[in-house]
Amino acid sequence: IIRYKNELNESVLAVLTVENKIYVLPQSDFLSLVREAENKGKTPLLLIEEVIENSLPMKLTLNDLDLLIPVDAPEVWAAGVTYENSKLARNYEASQGYEEKEETFYDKVYNAARPEIFFKSTSARTVAPRGEVYLRSDSNWQIPEPELGLVINKVGKIIGYTIGNDMSCRDIEGENPLYLPQAKVWKNSCSIGPSIRLAETVEDPYNFDITCRIFRKEEKVFEGSANTEQLKRSYTELVSYLLKDNEIFDGTVLLTGTCIVPPNEFTLDHNDRIEIEIEGIGILENTVKKQISQT
Ligand code: DO4
Ligand code: MG
């Protein structure tokens, strides 16, 4: 499911099929589609199949469309240290390169029953596909974190899968884990999209290939890949901790943690272009910018 802005500046919901055909949907947004399906005792996929049978695809392709965030997630939350790679990277940044002998907070959380879950973004801070993610002016070590995002409803049902970029400052978090909110949340520090893959169409959500590419002046300076089979925890486990004694809203996105970390000497730069690809969901592309008015 995608959303785009038409020539009248209106938001339009559409479906992109596996054959790369795009059909406009009658609902105004993703949650309306989910709610209408529920009210009719059908699934979103059934409603979409009816549209596909009774209409013609658009002539335009995905590249022609001015894409919007596929769901206006009221809140984006994120899980951390859910892959071994992330644990190793966190230990490196916290130890400033020296080998730690004792068990760290990161080792503990990787093995603990309770996962790390933190507040990542609000809809106003979240950037659309092809939009600009910003660098923080008080950090010299910044990376994208390519993550699978769970789109959930208020009772924690996974209704879709999307792609998220949990932009992060390794030096700020490495200095002190209590700085986590500053290492994770600032203007344009999160991006979601380009599509939502309906949960009912995914055979095995623990088998998504994820690839991240970073381009500088159109030259590829980083590429890394992983698969969600390497995830330490289950999605239901992460969602259940997010919901504990909490109020969660329809369309919330829970990022499931990063499994790809660029080399330790790498930091993002102004005008870098980031691509995060998850097979069957698409490519989330963003350009990196220094903020214009930094204080
Ligand atoms: O502890 C920091 C957060 C780690 C994180 O965001 C991740 O593993 O993806
Ligand atoms: Mg992360």
Side-chain angles (χ1 to χ4, degrees), residues 13-135:
L13 193 72
V15 58
L16 172 70
T17 68
V18 280
E19 298 87 19
N20 278 323
K21 289 184 182 154
I22 300 171
Y23 296 83
V24 171
L25 296 173
Q27 295 80 13
S28 57
D29 56 65
F30 178 68
L31 293 175
S32 305
L33 169 73
V34 173
R35 287 184 190 130
E36 188 180 321
E38 252 166 38
N39 291 340
K40 291 184 168 161
K42 297 183 174 174
T43 68
L45 182 62
L46 278 173
L47 291 190
I48 288 168
E49 281 171 351
E50 285 167 14
V51 172
I52 292 176
E53 265 168 41
N54 297 305
S55 61
L56 291 171
M58 293 173 74
K59 294 220 169 73
L60 299 175
T61 68
L62 196 63
N63 283 339
D64 303 320
L65 300 179
D66 185 1
L67 291 178
L68 297 168
I69 300 174
V71 61
D72 269 328
E75 296 176 347
V76 179
W77 292 76
V81 197
T82 50
Y83 289 87
E84 196 181 14
N85 251 353
S86 175
K87 183 186 75 169
L88 297 174
R90 303 296 78 89
N91 278 340
Y92 179 85
E93 67 213 21
S95 67
Q96 311 289 343
Y98 294 106
E99 209 183 309
E100 287 270 354
K101 294 205 177 62
E102 283 172 23
E103 200 184 30
T104 65
F105 285 114
Y106 302 110
D107 297 324
K108 284 181 188 154
V109 84
Y110 186 69
N111 293 312
R114 182 190 294 278
E116 177 194 8
I117 293 185
F118 59 91
F119 189 81
K120 174 63 190 179
S121 193
T122 53
S123 74
R125 285 188 186 84
T126 307
V127 177
R130 302 183 196 137
E132 294 175 353
V133 287
Y134 287 169
L135 294 170

Side-chain angles (χ1 to χ4, degrees), residues 139-171:
S139 167
N140 295 312
W141 195 12
Q142 303 187 58
I143 53 162
E145 289 193 352
E147 307 191 9
L148 178 74
L150 311 176
V151 184
I152 60 174
N153 68 9
K154 62 183 179 197
V155 295
K157 181 178 173 204
I158 299 170
I159 46 185
Y161 298 91
T162 189
I163 307 174
N165 178 356
D166 169 25
M167 291 282 286
S168 300
C169 300
R170 295 188 70 184
D171 46 359

Side-chain angles (χ1 to χ4, degrees), residues 18 161 195-198 201-202 208-209 277-282:
V18 280
Y161 298 91
S195 75
I196 297 170
R197 173 86 185 258
L198 288 174
T201 68
V202 177
F208 278 118
D209 282 326
E277 179 166 11
I278 301 188
E279 209 190 348
I281 305 179

